[in-house]
Amino acid sequence: SSLPDESAATQSQDRSFRERLCCPSTELCDVSIHPPACPAPFLQIDWHGEAEGSVEHVAMPFANSPVMSVPVKSARRLTRDGALKTTFEVSLDISTAGVTYEPGDSFSVICPNRDEEVEAVARRLGLAEKMASCVQASVRSDTTKKAASVPVHCTGYRTIGFLLRHCLDIRAVPKKLFLRALAEHTTDGKEKQRLLELCSREGANEYQSYIREATIGFLDILDAFPSCRPTLECVLGEYRYMEAWYMLV
């Protein structure tokens, strides 16, 4: 089950906004920009073919207890149209989950990415036919990144489908270093220039307006920059992982 999606970050932006997002800025065309140094590649992905049996129910790396799937009983919006943030009241049915709790305990709620979003990202990464393939991440022996380590959401054996659906926060607002990394995987010159502008010191206002305030997510970036085709190593290494929402009883 999922919440109403009136303000989802991955909802397609209107055409004029996408054009402003992906086109090089006229204000910066005559300015020397200084984007940050590109993050050093540090992940190596080893492929192990299709998984034997299910790995979909392995424990989340950030979970303190087994993860249970429960249905959404009801969901209603509490905020009015035009509110700065949209708030929902959500009721979960835990009657059959066998959970015991006391006042003061907390639940961690994890919402997986939608199938259509996962499929869209997989197509762009060239992984649509490999969703059931199992991979394991390790640190490259030749990396120049200091204190490099495997991100917590990539530890152990995972299928591509599990990583994209449950571990990567597709709707999270990308940080500037991730945009810088994406620029290295963008073949169109204008699109690459725009990504460099957005992550540069001189493009701080553009980043604030078109990325942060617009709550642009990874899928929106891929939609706006068609020639951007990052590797799995780039995405797993530099993008944000799914974090649980903590609810106090």
Side-chain angles (χ1 to χ4, degrees):
S1 299
S2 56
L3 299 180
D5 195 25
E6 296 180 19
S7 59
T10 53
Q11 200 173 37
S12 295
Q13 305 295 318
D14 61 88
R15 183 176 298 275
S16 61
F17 179 85
R18 285 202 305 271
E19 291 176 351
R20 295 196 302 274
L21 169 65
C22 66
C23 290
S25 171
T26 56
E27 297 181 3
L28 298 176
C29 62
D30 296 324
V31 176
S32 290
I33 62 172
H34 298 83
C38 186
F42 70 98
L43 275 188
Q44 174 178 310
I45 301 296
D46 295 318
W47 294 78
H48 296 276
E50 292 195 3
E52 296 181 5
S54 176
V55 296
E56 296 300 308
H57 299 290
V58 296
M60 294 288 186
F62 37 78
N64 294 321
S65 64
V67 178
M68 297 162 289
S69 296
V70 298
V72 174
K73 194 173 183 179
S74 64
R76 67 187 183 96
R77 192 172 71 171
L78 301 179
T79 47
R80 298 179 180 179
D81 292 340
L84 291 178
K85 292 187 177 180
T86 303
T87 303
F88 292 93
E89 178 187 74
V90 182
S91 297
L92 303 178
D93 184 0
I94 63 171
S95 59
T96 61
V99 178
T100 58
Y101 60 90
E102 298 178 356
D105 290 345
S106 64
F107 287 92
S108 302
V109 180
I110 303 169
C111 300
N113 296 311
R114 291 185 168 184
D115 288 344
E116 58 268 27
E117 297 171 348
V118 171
E119 291 166 2
V121 172
R123 285 195 299 271
R124 181 59 68 86
L125 270 58
L127 301 173
E129 305 300 324
K130 300 180 179 179
M131 298 294 279
S133 295
C134 195
V135 298
Q136 184 179 31
S138 59
V139 175
R140 290 173 48 162
S141 60
D142 62 345
T143 184
T144 58
K145 181 180 177 69
K146 295 182 178 179
S149 62
V150 176
V152 64
H153 57 294
C154 299
T155 55
Y157 293 91
R158 305 277 176 173
T159 64
I160 297 298
F162 186 89
L163 287 168
L164 298 184
R165 184 171 292 106
H166 296 286
C167 297
L168 288 178
D169 192 352
I170 291 176
R171 298 187 177 203
V173 174
K175 295 182 178 181
K176 288 186 176 183
L177 277 180
F178 184 57
L179 297 181
R180 179 64 183 87
L182 290 181
E184 296 304 303
H185 299 277
T186 303
T187 55
D188 181 88
K190 290 183 178 180
E191 292 179 11
K192 180 174 183 177
Q193 176 65 19
R194 181 54 171 162
L195 287 171
L196 293 175
E197 288 178 353
L198 289 169
C199 68
S200 70
R201 188 166 64 243
E202 294 75 15
N205 291 335
E206 301 268 324
Y207 175 82
Q208 182 69 21
S209 298
Y210 292 110
I211 304 296
R212 287 190 60 84
E213 293 179 0
T215 58
I216 288 297
F218 182 35
L219 200 54
D220 296 303
I221 293 293
L222 296 181
D223 182 57
F225 299 86
S227 74
C228 180
R229 295 183 177 275
T231 62
L232 180 62
E233 291 86 346
C234 170
V235 176
L236 293 182
E238 302 300 334
Y239 197 46
R240 290 176 56 179
Y241 62 85
M242 190 85 71
E243 296 184 10
W245 302 345
Y246 293 93
M247 310 292 181
L248 188 66
V249 177

